[in-house]
């Protein structure tokens, strides 16, 4: 009995040690935010800060692990927020089964800046998860897909359309797909026909919440 208990204790200790080891590295890519793993892992909290502090954790991560991940085209923003945010981008969305899940956070960022749809997919689904905590009215996110040429005008018209219309003009033929606006902790999705992305590109996905499209955008293409 004594030996069994000892072994059991030892294996538990090993398991705990293994768990702690896995939780330790906070600096993964932006697509696996530390905030998602911290709620259940108290030991890593001091290193990565609180779950809700996406804004504060983003800066050290960006500065130390992704110095080269600047994104062409987002530089002319001018604001400090823009300069910091662009350094966390540069990641391609993970696609499987003709679907992907992308994240938006409280720092006005998507976790990816490109989505490549396999040519074999007739339909494609984008799941959007808001990993932040701020409410929809303060830090709302959606995904809107248009041609790159139409993006700015669609965003401007979305602004006029207002929150009641998910910041997308009603019956806008330029819009290939869009989701609802969501707030922190919420998720949504949209499925669309990939035939709409076959010609007339290049295409982009972006958030049409006021002021977000300059930062929250990326390329989307069928390949
Ligand atoms: Co947004």
């Amino acid at each position: 009995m004594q030996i069994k208990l000892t072994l059991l204790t030892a294996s538990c200790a090993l398991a705990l040690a293994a768990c702690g080891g896995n939780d330790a590295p906070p600096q993964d890519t932006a697509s696996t935010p530390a905030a998602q793993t911290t709620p259940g892992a108290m030991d890593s909290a001091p290193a990565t800060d609180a779950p809700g502090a996406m804004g504060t954790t983003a800066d050290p991560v960006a500065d130390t692990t992704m110095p080269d991940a600047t994104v062409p085209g987002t530089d002319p923003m001018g604001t400090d927020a823009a300069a910091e945010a662009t350094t966390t981008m540069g990641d391609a969305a993970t696609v499987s089964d003709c679907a992907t899940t992308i994240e938006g956070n409280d720092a006005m960022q998507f976790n990816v800046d490109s989505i490549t749809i396999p040519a074999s997919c007739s339909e494609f689904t984008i799941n959007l998860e808001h990993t932040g905590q701020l409410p929809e009215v303060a830090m709302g996110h959606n995904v809107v897909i248009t041609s790159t040429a139409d993006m700015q005008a669609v965003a401007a018209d979305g602004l006029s359309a207002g929150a009641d219309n998910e910041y997308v003009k009603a019956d806008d033929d330029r819009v290939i797909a869009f989701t609802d606006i969501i707030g922190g902790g919420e998720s949504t999705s949209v499925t669309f026909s990939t035939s709409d992305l076959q010609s007339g590109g290049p295409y982009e996905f972006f958030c049409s919440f006021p002021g977000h499209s300059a930062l929250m955008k990326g390329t989307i293409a069928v390949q």
Side-chain angles (χ1 to χ4, degrees), residues 151-195:
M151 181 181 143
Q152 267 195 312
V154 168
D157 288 345
L159 186 60
S160 302
D164 289 346
N165 294 301
E166 312 297 334
Y167 293 107
V168 176
K169 179 182 164 187
D171 302 321
D172 192 333
D173 290 339
R174 299 166 296 179
V175 174
I176 291 156
F178 70 100
T179 72
D180 294 342
I181 296 272
I182 58 172
E186 297 176 332
S187 61
T188 186
S189 72
V190 62
T191 299
F192 51 92
S193 169
T194 57
S195 62

Side-chain angles (χ1 to χ4, degrees), residues 105 108-110 139-142 181 207-209 212-213 216:
N105 64 20
M108 207 194 298
Q109 299 163 318
F110 284 131
M139 188 54 69
H141 298 319
N142 67 357
I181 296 272
C207 174
S208 67
F209 189 89
H212 286 200
S213 64
M216 302 187 73

Side-chain angles (χ1 to χ4, degrees), residues 20-204:
N22 286 340
D23 286 341
Q27 71 282 33
D28 222 303
T29 66
S31 60
T32 55
Q36 277 204 332
T37 58
T38 42
M42 293 303 290
D43 54 335
S44 63
T48 59
D49 215 333
M54 287 299 290
T56 56
T57 55
D59 293 348
V61 170
D63 290 344
T64 56
T65 66
M66 307 192 66
D68 298 323
T70 52
V71 179
T74 54
D75 287 342
M77 279 297 297
T79 69
D80 289 346
E84 289 173 12
T86 52
T87 58
T88 64
M89 300 174 71
D91 290 329
T94 301
V95 171
S96 64
D97 295 331
C98 296
T100 190
T101 298
I102 69 174
E103 298 171 355
N105 64 20
D106 280 348
M108 207 194 298
Q109 299 163 318
F110 284 131
N111 67 328
V112 300
D113 69 358
S114 68
I115 299 173
T116 301
I117 301 172
S120 56
C121 298
S122 58
E123 289 191 325
F124 192 77
T125 297
I126 296 178
N127 301 299
L128 172 65
E129 293 181 358
H130 193 318
T131 58
Q133 297 185 333
L134 292 172
E136 182 178 325
V137 292
M139 188 54 69
H141 298 319
N142 67 357
V143 171
V144 181
I145 300 171
T146 68
S147 72
T148 302
D150 286 338
M151 181 181 143
Q152 267 195 312
V154 168
D157 288 345
L159 186 60
S160 302
D164 289 346
N165 294 301
E166 312 297 334
Y167 293 107
V168 176
K169 179 182 164 187
D171 302 321
D172 192 333
D173 290 339
R174 299 166 296 179
V175 174
I176 291 156
F178 70 100
T179 72
D180 294 342
I181 296 272
I182 58 172
E186 297 176 332
S187 61
T188 186
S189 72
V190 62
T191 299
F192 51 92
S193 169
T194 57
S195 62
D196 295 334
L197 291 168
Q198 299 291 355
S199 61
Y203 298 95
E204 295 204 36

